[in-house]
Amino acid sequence: MNETTEQFYRQRADKLAEQEKSATSKVSMVSWGRVLVFLVGAVLAYYFFSSGNMALGVVAILVFYGLFLVVLKWHQRLDFNYQQLVLLRQFNLQETDRLHGRLKGFNGGNEFIDPAHPYTSDLDIFGDSSLFQLLNRAVSSIGKSRLAQWLQHAASINSIQQRQEAVQELTQQLNWLQTFLVLPRYYKQAAAPATEFIAWMRQHTDFYQRHAYMKLLIWVLPILTLAAVVAWFNGVSGYVPSFFLAVQYLLGYKFRAAREAYYENSMAMYEAVRSYTRQLQHLESHTFGSGLLRGLQSGLITERGKASVAVGRLSTIIDYFSWRLSTLMSFFLNTILMWDFIWMYRLEQWKQKHLAQLEQAVEVLAETETLASMACYQHAHPTYAIPQLSTQPFEFKAMALAHPLIFSVSPVTNDFGMAGIGQTIVVTGSNMSGKTTFLRTIGINMVLALMGAPACADKLILAPAQVYTAMRTVDNLAENTSSFYAELKRLRVLLELTEEEQPVFYLLDEILKGTNSRDRHQGAMALIRQLHKRNASGLISTHDLELGAMEEELAGSVHNYSFNSDIVGDEIIFDYKLQRGLCRSFNASKLMELMGIDMQGRG
């Protein structure tokens, strides 16, 4: 944890707190101004009406109502700015929480947990105390989903390099970066992803194609109804307006399901669409240098105009649609003006012109939010290495490699290097010495590097490969599967994966631990021999020193490394440093003794 970085975020939060105080006084002043305008207008209107001057009374109402709306808009703008300051201060304090590993309050991306994934479950990518919690700064469903995708799938070399360049640029523009990520926090984000709304729009908003006659009725019927009502007030029979009102009621009842579907699906995205509009405006108005960011930005402006304008129009349509929330307003609007049908028509018109823009805008925002999350992570850890990509198969060379989810003032680091097809590193060690953590350290840093993020190391060079792990295999009572059989299924997937052309970098922890020692040794050796002949390399951790003999059998392809411990009196001392060769110090007996088990059999 970098104390200088923490101090930076705390100082930034303190400055924002000072700005909040100033903004609070402005909001309060304008709020009282709004009350004053209302009172003055009410008093003047009352005075003129009571004096018999009806014209001036009406003018007073209209003028002060207009003035009230102006002050109201001013107050809303100031309040939004104030809330942004609050959110920015909280954002910076959250950065200090991440530096200390206080991740409990952050979204863990539990919806993306997949036990069958090649590596995410074993490497703590999602869930509690996960890499997702450490990386993610997005609150929108599109941003979180895109980050999850990048964590689940390695990018191409070109994409990694483009992302590294974009992240580096965003890291140097912290004000713009934090504002971009904080803007959507003002709004309540939809639980359903935007892609579902777009799919619904594309497939189900064809009401006026199926009922073309309604295009005429939504404009003619309200005019006829209003004219009939006015005529009724002037002595014409009430049957005429009643007829038109009945027609509108019957049409509304007949198509009530369509009206509800349009309304519910639109309102579900209202807050998200408003936040998209804000973010798009922020994104469109900025100047970028990196090719990736410029390309994303250019996709927001088409022959139909800016995406922010198009999405803003959608927000306006949904806003007018929402007027039906008031029972009184809904009765008046839908009984006389066919309100729902008008905005259903406007929504379909908007779809024809701008749905493709919304789809593109969602893609751009998802990419940009993910890059922004990675940039914040890089800014919080300025000493982390920007990985270098290698063309040498399975090259992995690291200096001062550490695990990003181990939060310590002085974390233990290790240097490590390997390269070449068919290489297996056998890591032996005593209990709790760090061998499993070391495998996870390599795996999680590979995931970071292959998505374009900085790695927790002073230097990292690696070749792109499919990461595959077998570490946390557990039994499944529902499927009547033992832990041993679950592990065998996991290893079978690995073998199937290595039959394909893509390189596979495997990380296997205590393989075949669910069977007897003889079968375990023979099975592990057979697996190493089989993997040696394929487009794969990796590491295997084990307690079994017998696997160390493979270094002689497959000389130059199998290499022994170890973690060791020392027993001093009743204390076991670990240094968590990787060493060449087999482990020669084991502590199981001492650990059992410390737990109260009499190893001498004295009862």
Side-chain angles (χ1 to χ4, degrees), residues 490-541:
R490 188 83 181 164
L491 293 177
R492 182 183 66 184
V493 174
L494 169 61
L495 292 173
E496 292 172 351
L497 199 60
T498 57
E499 291 176 351
E500 302 174 7
E501 294 183 0
Q502 64 176 331
V504 178
F505 193 98
Y506 54 84
L507 298 162
L508 313 178
D509 181 43
E510 296 291 349
I511 56 174
L512 306 177
K513 50 186 170 289
T515 188
N516 63 76
S517 59
R518 180 180 177 183
D519 287 345
R520 183 171 64 249
H521 301 155
Q522 291 180 348
M525 289 179 178
L527 179 64
I528 291 174
R529 295 186 188 104
Q530 197 167 355
L531 292 172
H532 171 66
K533 299 174 183 178
R534 301 190 177 185
N535 189 18
S537 288
L539 291 86
I540 297 177
S541 69

Side-chain angles (χ1 to χ4, degrees), residues 154-361:
S156 66
I157 292 177
N158 184 53
S159 294
I160 292 170
Q161 292 171 337
Q162 286 185 333
R163 291 174 188 177
Q164 287 177 343
E165 181 186 7
V167 167
Q168 186 66 31
E169 179 180 351
L170 291 175
T171 303
Q172 298 168 3
Q173 302 175 14
L174 192 64
N175 288 334
W176 185 92
L177 175 66
Q178 290 192 351
T179 300
F180 176 76
L181 289 168
V182 161
L183 279 170
R185 299 187 177 207
Y186 182 80
Y187 304 95
K188 182 180 180 180
Q189 295 294 320
T195 50
E196 291 185 9
F197 174 74
I198 292 171
W200 171 79
M201 285 279 287
R202 198 176 295 283
Q203 297 172 15
H204 300 289
T205 50
D206 58 350
F207 177 82
Y208 285 94
Q209 292 180 19
R210 292 182 286 110
H211 308 284
Y213 64 91
M214 290 293 294
K215 294 180 183 178
L216 177 64
L217 291 182
I218 60 174
W219 306 116
V220 173
L221 267 180
I223 294 174
L224 292 177
T225 304
L226 288 172
V229 170
V230 172
W232 176 51
F233 280 118
N234 287 277
V236 178
S237 171
Y239 288 108
V240 178
S242 297
F243 169 77
F244 289 123
L245 289 171
V247 171
Q248 289 203 39
Y249 172 79
L250 290 173
L251 286 171
Y253 182 80
K254 178 181 179 180
F255 297 117
R256 63 189 183 280
R259 290 165 53 205
E260 291 301 322
Y262 273 63
Y263 170 73
E264 290 176 3
N265 283 279
S266 298
M267 284 304 299
M269 285 298 296
Y270 178 53
E271 292 291 314
V273 168
R274 293 176 70 197
S275 76
Y276 294 167
T277 303
R278 290 276 191 180
Q279 282 189 297
L280 288 168
Q281 291 170 342
H282 191 64
L283 185 54
E284 289 168 349
S285 62
H286 196 63
T287 301
F288 296 106
S290 75
L292 178 56
L293 291 171
R294 288 203 311 271
L296 290 171
Q297 190 181 51
S298 66
L300 297 176
I301 303 176
T302 68
E303 66 278 1
R304 296 197 179 272
K306 292 183 177 181
S308 63
V309 175
V311 178
R313 287 173 182 164
L314 175 61
S315 174
T316 300
I317 291 171
I318 300 175
D319 187 24
Y320 280 120
F321 215 155
S322 70
W323 285 17
R324 75 200 301 270
L325 280 173
S326 167
T327 304
L328 183 62
M329 285 287 287
S330 178
F331 175 80
F332 173 76
L333 294 172
N334 280 311
T335 305
I336 299 177
L337 301 179
M338 298 189 76
W339 191 257
D340 283 358
F341 291 108
I342 289 174
W343 294 105
M344 287 165 62
Y345 178 69
R346 290 290 304 276
L347 189 62
E348 289 194 11
Q349 282 190 314
W350 180 93
K351 180 186 78 170
Q352 297 301 325
K353 294 180 180 178
H354 301 297
L355 184 59
Q357 273 187 288
L358 174 62
E359 198 165 13
Q360 175 67 15

Side-chain angles (χ1 to χ4, degrees), residues 449-566:
L450 296 177
M451 71 179 291
C456 186
D458 286 350
K459 184 176 183 180
L460 178 60
I461 303 172
L462 81 163
Q466 170 65 59
V467 177
Y468 191 87
T469 63
M471 296 182 180
R472 288 175 174 152
T473 50
V474 295
D475 57 355
N476 190 318
L477 296 178
E479 297 181 3
N480 195 27
T481 301
S482 68
S483 59
F484 178 65
Y485 186 66
E487 184 179 7
L488 288 179
K489 289 172 63 177
R490 188 83 181 164
L491 293 177
R492 182 183 66 184
V493 174
L494 169 61
L495 292 173
E496 292 172 351
L497 199 60
T498 57
E499 291 176 351
E500 302 174 7
E501 294 183 0
Q502 64 176 331
V504 178
F505 193 98
Y506 54 84
L507 298 162
L508 313 178
D509 181 43
E510 296 291 349
I511 56 174
L512 306 177
K513 50 186 170 289
T515 188
N516 63 76
S517 59
R518 180 180 177 183
D519 287 345
R520 183 171 64 249
H521 301 155
Q522 291 180 348
M525 289 179 178
L527 179 64
I528 291 174
R529 295 186 188 104
Q530 197 167 355
L531 292 172
H532 171 66
K533 299 174 183 178
R534 301 190 177 185
N535 189 18
S537 288
L539 291 86
I540 297 177
S541 69
T542 180
H543 282 92
D544 298 330
L545 296 180
E546 288 81 357
L547 286 186
M550 298 291 292
E551 187 176 51
E552 296 182 7
E553 177 184 336
L554 297 175
S557 296
V558 176
H559 309 275
N560 291 323
Y561 283 82
S562 61
F563 287 90
N564 294 271
S565 61
D566 294 317

